[in-house]
Amino acid sequence: MLPFHALRRARRATLAVLAALALAALALPGPARADDAPARPLTAQEQAFLKQAEGYLNTFRMAKARFIQTASTGETLSGTLALARPNRLRMNYDPPSPLTLVANGTHLIYIDAKMEQVTYIDLDTTPLSVFLADRISFADPAITITNVETSDKRVEVTLHMTKDPGIGSLTLAFDREPLALAGWRVLDAQGISVTVSLFNIDRNPTLDPDLFVYRRPDPRNLPR
C-alpha cells in the first residue's frame, strides 16, 4: 500500500485533473496565462483539421481505454477510462489509489475513498462538457480555440472556456495517421499541468450504465 505522503501527492495530481477540467472551484483564479491569450485566426488547414477531428469524435458514442496520467509535480497514475456521450465519463484509478472521477450527466464527481471525500462540480461549467456533448463542435461559442499545433505525427488543439479564459486550459491531442484521440493535457490556474495518455482504445463497446452512477456507500456497511 502506498504511504500516506504518496497518496496525498497522488490525490493532488488527480485534483489537478479535476480542477483543470472544471476550470474553477478547486483552485483560486489566477492571472491569465500565455495559453489563454486571445485566439489567433485559424488557417484554412487548421480549420479543415478541426472539421476532420469533429467528424472522428462524432463517429462513436462510447469508448473504453487504458490511460496513464502524469503530473508536472512528478506523480504518475494509471487506470481505465470509460466514456458514454452525452455527458458521462468514468476514470477508475488502479489500486492502491483510492481515487475515482465520474461525470454522471450533470456533475463531475471526484471520489477519494480513503479520505471519505466527495466533490461535485457542475459539468456544464467545464470544457469537458464540450468534449462529452451529444454532438461535438469546435465552433461552440462556450469555448475558445487558442492554438492548433501541428507536427509530423500529432496535432494538439488548445482551448479554454470563453467566459473564464484566465483559470485554465484543455489541450486535446490527436494522432494524425490514422486519426485518433491520443489523450489530453490540462493546465490549472496554479500552473499544475497533467497529461492523460490513452492506450488500447475500444470504440463503441457495450458499457454498463451503472458505471456512470455514483451512490454514496451506506455507512452501516463501511469497515470499522
Side-chain angles (χ1 to χ4, degrees):
M1 187 170 185
L2 286 176
F4 177 74
H5 68 275
L7 283 171
R8 187 165 59 183
R9 288 199 304 268
R11 181 178 184 272
R12 184 186 178 198
T14 306
L15 275 174
V17 173
L18 181 61
L21 287 174
L23 297 185
L26 297 185
L28 294 174
R33 308 182 61 86
D35 309 61
D36 303 316
R40 62 173 173 79
L42 298 176
T43 67
Q45 184 178 13
E46 291 168 343
Q47 291 175 352
F49 174 80
L50 291 179
K51 285 294 184 185
Q52 184 183 10
E54 281 179 11
Y56 159 78
L57 292 172
N58 285 317
T59 60
F60 58 93
R61 306 290 296 172
M62 297 185 181
K64 187 176 181 179
R66 290 289 296 168
F67 70 85
I68 294 177
Q69 173 185 303
T70 305
S72 58
T73 49
E75 294 78 32
T76 298
L77 298 171
S78 61
T80 300
L81 174 146
L83 176 154
R85 301 208 323 267
N87 300 328
R88 285 163 176 81
L89 176 77
R90 186 181 187 99
M91 295 176 71
N92 281 338
Y93 290 83
D94 292 337
S97 172
L99 310 176
T100 306
L101 195 64
V102 177
N104 67 356
T106 305
H107 294 97
L108 189 61
I109 309 167
Y110 169 83
I111 305 108
D112 184 331
K114 184 174 180 63
M115 300 293 183
E116 299 182 8
Q117 292 180 347
V118 180
T119 304
Y120 288 79
I121 292 178
D122 288 339
L123 184 60
D124 61 5
T125 66
T126 80
L128 187 62
S129 63
V130 177
F131 179 57
L132 294 178
D134 188 52
R135 184 163 184 82
I136 294 172
S137 172
F138 287 116
D140 190 322
I143 63 171
T144 297
I145 304 293
T146 59
N147 193 35
V148 179
E149 186 172 341
T150 303
S151 66
D152 290 341
K153 296 183 178 181
R154 182 162 291 191
V155 178
E156 295 189 347
V157 179
T158 299
L159 57 90
H160 63 232
M161 298 300 286
T162 301
K163 292 183 178 179
D164 297 298
I167 55 176
S169 64
L170 169 68
T171 298
L172 297 175
F174 297 89
D175 290 332
R176 296 190 68 180
E177 295 183 7
L179 179 63
L181 180 66
W184 59 80
R185 183 174 64 255
V186 291
L187 180 67
D188 73 8
Q190 308 307 309
I192 297 176
S193 173
V194 177
T195 299
V196 174
S197 300
L198 302 179
F199 303 91
N200 302 325
I201 299 177
D202 181 6
R203 294 165 61 184
N204 289 317
T206 300
L207 297 175
D208 185 344
D210 278 352
L211 280 173
F212 312 105
V213 177
Y214 172 68
R215 299 181 179 91
R216 287 184 179 272
D218 187 333
R220 294 171 296 181
N221 298 327
L222 294 176
R224 297 183 183 275

